[in-house]
Amino acid sequence: MAWTAQPGQHAAGRESEERLGIQHHNWPWTAAGADSPDAADYPRYFDRVGENPRGPQAVRVLTARDDFTPQSLIEAAFDPYLTAFARLVPGLVAGWDQLPEHDGQKAKLADPIGLLRDWDHRWAAESTATSVAVFWGEDLWALTSRAAAEAGMSVWDYMADRATDAQRLGALETATQRLRRDFGSWKVPWGEINRYQRNDGSIVQEFSDAKPSIPVPFTSSRWGSLASFGAKAYPGTKRYYGTSGNSFVAVVEFGPRLRAWAVTAGGVSGHPDSPHFDDQAERYASGGLRPVYFYPGDLNGHVERRYRPGR
């Protein structure tokens, strides 16, 4: 994910301007605000997937203000609102509300429904609602993805508009059962499940719940999070470990003097014995981007060693 901010002119009587850019994988029809291309002017194959929840989230955070600074742009990149669940959860709650009082699911799902009803649709490491929502969304996705493909719809649209109350409630029951089975309770903080782990220099990691890992608060982009962490359980694990999503994140300010902040997943070294093997892991999970040393003078006090190839 690369974001840029370009300061405009700061002068009396004139508002400062920020020119902003964000890369996100979505249809092109909202990529440039009011100046976006019109879908009617292009062949259908230009967009075969439709809009995903990450697009509305990008529009939401980038239109919320016109006075971005590098720091507020970093904060926007890690805005925790999950647009998919803001759209999907009300249908689930409404389906539960309509259940007859004597229905077995009414009592069985009362507590998780209450949790999701009061949730603000924001991810957080300590959030139990995020855990329930993600597990529920995964199970509902599995129930509806084939039908969505057959209907020529995105899975998000199908889940929101065509999933039945029985499917929504059944997926929640399955999700809470999975949480109880794997973690002993359906009320598990998201950070206990969603983890970053780097054990060695292998490209393909062998994950283990017995080895150290750190919590990652953001979710997969599937649910609308701009800060993306694609994670799942692996053979022998209950916890989810991430292998996709945010890799290199940067905010760049173009002005008289270039300034930039960035973070890399884990660290820049592939050697486990190096202090730089995982020294950016905590920054990665927290959105604590580090300054980029762009000019020679920026390196003063930060150089560990120098070398010249061939010498």
Side-chain angles (χ1 to χ4, degrees):
M1 176 164 52
W3 296 49
T4 62
Q6 180 169 342
Q9 298 295 321
H10 294 258
R14 296 177 62 185
E15 294 184 356
S16 65
E17 297 178 353
E18 296 286 339
R19 298 173 185 169
L20 307 173
I22 175 175
Q23 291 183 336
H24 62 88
H25 304 292
N26 193 37
W27 65 5
W29 319 127
T30 56
D35 297 318
S36 300
D38 188 338
D41 295 336
Y42 295 85
R44 181 66 183 88
Y45 62 75
F46 268 63
D47 168 38
R48 299 175 60 184
V49 178
E51 187 173 41
N52 67 60
R54 210 178 187 196
Q57 171 65 344
V59 172
R60 174 181 169 272
V61 299
L62 292 177
T63 58
R65 59 192 301 175
D66 59 5
D67 60 345
F68 280 98
T69 65
Q71 183 55 45
S72 63
L73 195 57
I74 292 171
E75 293 169 0
F78 289 87
D79 184 282
Y81 193 67
L82 297 172
T83 51
F85 291 125
R87 181 185 182 191
L88 294 172
V89 167
L92 170 66
V93 172
W96 182 88
D97 287 342
Q98 294 171 16
L99 285 175
E101 289 301 322
H102 63 271
D103 191 292
Q105 281 188 323
K106 193 77 170 183
K108 184 181 295 185
L109 298 177
D111 288 342
I113 286 290
L115 181 68
L116 293 177
R117 188 194 298 273
D118 295 335
W119 184 39
D120 61 3
H121 310 122
R122 285 169 165 78
W123 51 251
E126 65 276 10
S127 170
T128 56
T130 303
S131 303
V132 173
V134 170
F135 273 52
W136 170 67
E138 290 174 345
D139 287 352
L140 186 60
W141 186 286
L143 283 173
T144 58
S145 57
R146 176 173 292 185
E150 292 173 350
M153 299 174 64
S154 76
V155 184
W156 299 284
D157 287 343
Y158 193 97
M159 289 193 296
D161 301 331
R162 295 198 186 182
T164 65
D165 287 342
Q167 288 175 319
R168 295 186 179 106
L169 294 167
L172 182 60
E173 187 169 349
T174 302
T176 53
Q177 288 172 351
R178 282 204 295 139
L179 284 164
R180 289 191 187 96
R181 180 195 69 205
D182 291 346
F183 301 98
S185 169
W186 64 268
K187 296 183 72 173
V188 186
W190 178 236
E192 289 295 314
I193 298 172
N194 202 51
R195 312 289 290 189
Y196 173 91
Q197 186 176 84
R198 192 182 192 198
N199 296 317
D200 53 45
S202 300
I203 294 176
V204 178
Q205 295 285 295
E206 292 188 8
F207 298 110
S208 171
D209 290 343
K211 295 180 179 180
S213 61
I214 66 170
V216 175
F218 41 95
T219 72
S220 165
S221 62
R222 173 184 287 188
W223 310 120
S225 181
L226 294 180
S228 173
F229 191 67
K232 65 178 183 178
Y234 286 81
T237 77
K238 303 296 185 184
R239 286 173 156 177
Y240 285 16
Y241 296 98
T243 58
S244 65
N246 279 16
S247 53
F248 175 78
V249 182
V251 168
V252 182
E253 181 183 52
F254 295 95
R257 183 175 177 85
L258 187 75
R259 296 196 302 166
W261 297 259
V263 70
T264 298
V268 296
S269 174
H271 299 285
D273 56 348
S274 167
H276 305 299
F277 178 70
D278 59 0
D279 60 346
Q280 294 185 55
E282 294 286 352
R283 286 184 174 275
Y284 173 85
S286 66
L289 277 62
R290 54 176 170 73
V292 174
Y293 306 132
F294 185 76
Y295 297 97
D298 295 339
L299 296 173
N300 293 336
H302 301 291
V303 177
E304 294 182 359
R305 66 187 178 92
R306 298 178 184 272
Y307 79 97
R308 290 183 174 86
R311 297 180 60 182

